[in-house]
């Protein structure tokens, strides 16, 4: 049997049980178009670690949105995201479409992961504020590079508990109100478990983008606009948001993690201007033991189950990412001595045995941080 355990805002639920041989209705699988991927495109995809994402996308545990579709929805009057099972097929990209989506972008993978607070227990963004913030950034990227981008947004990419008694999907997560029934098919629960276990692959991958939505809507305190129930903590205090930001902080280059809470939202914006405005303030990577202590202070709806799960997922991702890292470029992030000392602890632990290139230019690291780094660098034995 497969059972769901509620966690933060209805979005990320732990699931117990297997993912094969599940009886009952089949899960939601978008009918997407397969395309032929050119040899050069496929070579770039493989070179940049794209195959790491293939299994969970090909299985339909995760469905990736088209950035073009997201932008069009944001421009539509009253446009609001819906749970994955309620979205039209044209919202999604097939794996082959993702593989050839990069346009003129020639560095990372054409995959963007959204890290955000759920604004209500039954819907992460009931008035489309987060949708418009994300769409503004996506449009700036597409204006520069063309092509398309694959977007991971948990509410739309993972199977949600949005099905009523008749099995039809609704526009929000059900079961958050007293006496209200709602759920997923058992087959969707199984795929949800697979997707949950893959989150670190998406957020910590060195070649995916992460866009963080750290600011609440300006009218979030208006009870006529939002139902302030459940977890209403700030982004940095929410357990799963903190985990996603920590994954993203590991080994990504400076410009691949942006805090859209720093975007004024005013006037037209180009990608480079957005990048300059939103790249600073990223946290430094920390050892798994340090993160395990930090998450004790974070908000989880189901902390008993989620805290050890987050700690385990982070530790596994940390070992894999730093163990394979050959270059770390933390450039112009506004870091000081505290971040330098956190990074020094990671290096001193021997976490990056293959590290050959290391950059901390245009930060504000003082003597204390420099001494910590100097003491740790000999542990990076491959560094020249």
């Amino acid at each position: 049997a497969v059972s769901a355990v509620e966690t933060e805002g209805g979005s990320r639920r732990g699931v117990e049980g297997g993912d094969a041989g599940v009886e009952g209705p089949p899960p939601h699988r978008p009918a997407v178009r397969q395309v032929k991927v050119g040899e050069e495109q496929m070579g770039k995809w493989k070179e940049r670690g794209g195959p790491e994402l293939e299994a969970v996308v090909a299985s339909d545990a995760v469905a990736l949105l088209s950035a073009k579709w997201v932008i069009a929805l944001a421009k539509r009057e009253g446009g609001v995201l819906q749970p994955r099972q309620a979205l039209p097929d044209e919202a999604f990209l097939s794996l082959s479409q993702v593989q050839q989506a990069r346009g003129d972008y020639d560095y990372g993978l054409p995959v963007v992961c959204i890290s955000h607070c759920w604004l209500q227990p039954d819907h992460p963004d009931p008035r489309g504020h987060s949708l418009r913030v994300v769409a503004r950034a996506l449009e700036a990227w597409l204006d520069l590079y063309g092509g398309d981008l694959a977007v991971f947004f948990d509410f739309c990419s993972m199977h949600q508990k949005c099905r009523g008694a008749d099995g039809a999907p609704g526009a929000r997560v059900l079961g958050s109100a007293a006496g209200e029934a709602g759920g997923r098919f058992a087959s969707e629960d199984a795929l949800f478990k697979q997707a949950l276990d893959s989150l670190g692959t998406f957020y910590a991958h060195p070649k995916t983008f992460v866009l963080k939505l750290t600011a609440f809507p300006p009218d979030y305190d208006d009870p006529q606009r939002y139902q302030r129930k459940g977890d209403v903590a700030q982004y940095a205090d929410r357990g799963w948001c903190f985990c996603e930001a920590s994954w993203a902080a590991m080994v990504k280059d400076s410009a691949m993690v942006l805090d859209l809470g720093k975007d004024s939202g005013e006037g037209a914006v180009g990608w480079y201007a957005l990048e300059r405005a939103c790249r600073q303030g990223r946290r430094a990577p920390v050892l798994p033991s340090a993160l395990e202590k930090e998450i004790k202070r974070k908000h989880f709806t189901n902390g008993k189950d989620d805290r050890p799960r987050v700690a385990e997922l982070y530790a596994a991702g940390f070992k894999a990412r730093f163990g394979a890292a050959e270059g770390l470029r933390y450039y112009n992030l506004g870091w000081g001595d505290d971040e330098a000392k956190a990074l020094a602890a990671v290096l001193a632990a021997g976490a990056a045995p293959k590290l050959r290139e290391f950059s901390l230019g245009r930060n504000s690291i003082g003597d204390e941080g420099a001494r910590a780094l100097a003491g740790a660098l000999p542990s990076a034995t491959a560094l020249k």
Side-chain angles (χ1 to χ4, degrees), residues 43 62 72 142 162 179 208 227 265 298 373:
V62 164
L142 294 186
C162 64
T208 62
Q227 300 173 24
K298 303 303 177 182
L373 287 167

Side-chain angles (χ1 to χ4, degrees), residues 27-351:
H28 170 264
R29 299 183 188 275
V32 288
R33 183 170 61 91
Q34 301 299 326
V35 298
K36 184 177 181 180
V37 183
E39 185 176 340
E40 179 182 358
Q41 296 283 66
M42 183 58 73
K44 295 289 187 182
W45 172 262
K46 292 180 178 179
E47 176 188 327
R48 292 159 189 172
E52 289 186 43
L53 309 178
E54 290 180 2
V56 71
V57 175
S59 71
D60 287 319
V62 164
L64 297 173
L65 299 174
S66 160
K68 291 181 178 179
W69 181 87
V70 172
I71 293 166
L73 178 64
K75 292 181 177 180
R76 190 182 309 162
E77 185 175 356
V80 173
L81 293 168
Q82 296 189 44
R84 168 178 166 166
Q85 296 99 307
L87 290 176
D89 291 337
E90 59 265 25
F92 302 100
L93 295 176
S94 67
L95 177 58
S96 61
Q97 287 174 315
V98 176
Q99 290 167 335
Q100 61 93 52
R102 66 186 178 91
D104 293 330
Y105 183 63
D106 201 34
Y107 179 70
L109 294 172
V111 178
V112 178
C113 305
I114 311 302
S115 179
H116 64 103
C117 296
W118 275 53
L119 301 179
Q120 292 185 176
D122 63 347
H123 199 292
D125 184 32
R127 296 193 171 274
H129 172 82
S130 299
L131 169 65
R132 291 188 292 275
V133 171
V134 169
R136 172 178 162 88
L138 297 178
E139 188 166 27
W141 197 97
L142 294 186
D143 284 346
L144 179 63
Y145 294 113
D148 203 348
L149 280 170
V151 181
F152 176 90
F153 195 115
D154 59 354
F155 185 57
C156 305
S157 295
M158 301 166 69
H159 294 92
Q160 299 299 314
K161 276 196 160 184
C162 64
R163 295 191 181 278
D166 60 355
R172 61 187 180 88
V173 170
L174 301 175
S176 59
E180 181 182 64
R184 292 181 290 255
F185 295 147
S187 56
E188 294 173 342
D189 270 338
L191 288 174
F192 192 96
K193 178 183 184 298
Q194 184 183 348
L196 194 72
D197 290 340
S198 77
L199 290 180
T201 304
F202 282 92
Y203 286 95
H205 194 293
K207 298 297 184 181
T208 62
F209 286 95
V210 172
L211 300 180
K212 301 188 298 181
L213 278 62
T214 60
F216 287 146
D219 57 353
Y220 191 45
D221 289 329
D222 184 348
Q224 301 299 317
R225 305 282 289 175
Y226 293 94
Q227 300 173 24
R228 293 290 299 269
K229 298 189 300 183
D231 190 353
V232 295
Q234 297 289 325
Y235 177 93
D237 294 323
R238 296 207 193 187
W240 279 103
C241 293
F242 176 75
C243 183
E244 292 159 0
S246 299
W247 275 323
M250 288 184 186
V251 299
K252 293 182 186 293
D253 283 3
S254 307
M256 301 196 77
V257 183
L258 301 183
D259 179 357
L260 297 185
K262 299 179 183 296
D263 177 23
S264 68
E266 298 176 358
V269 65
W271 179 255
Y272 293 139
L274 193 70
E275 184 183 291
R276 287 192 298 271
C278 300
R279 69 192 294 171
Q280 293 203 352
R282 166 177 161 183
R283 63 173 290 148
V286 297
L287 289 167
S289 57
L291 180 123
E292 191 168 1
K293 293 177 181 178
E294 288 186 85
I295 60 175
K296 292 179 181 179
R297 303 188 296 271
K298 303 303 177 182
H299 291 243
F300 290 92
T301 303
N302 185 14
K304 180 181 177 182
D305 293 323
D306 286 343
R307 284 192 179 91
R309 179 189 287 274
V310 163
E312 181 181 352
L313 290 172
Y314 180 84
F318 181 92
K319 181 179 180 180
R321 296 305 175 191
F322 276 101
E326 296 183 1
L328 295 174
R329 290 169 282 275
Y330 306 122
Y331 181 79
N332 191 21
L333 294 176
W335 283 3
D337 285 345
D338 288 344
E339 289 83 7
K341 287 188 286 185
L343 179 58
V346 170
L347 298 177

Side-chain angles (χ1 to χ4, degrees), residues 371-382:
R371 283 193 294 270
L373 287 167
L377 288 177
S379 297
T381 55

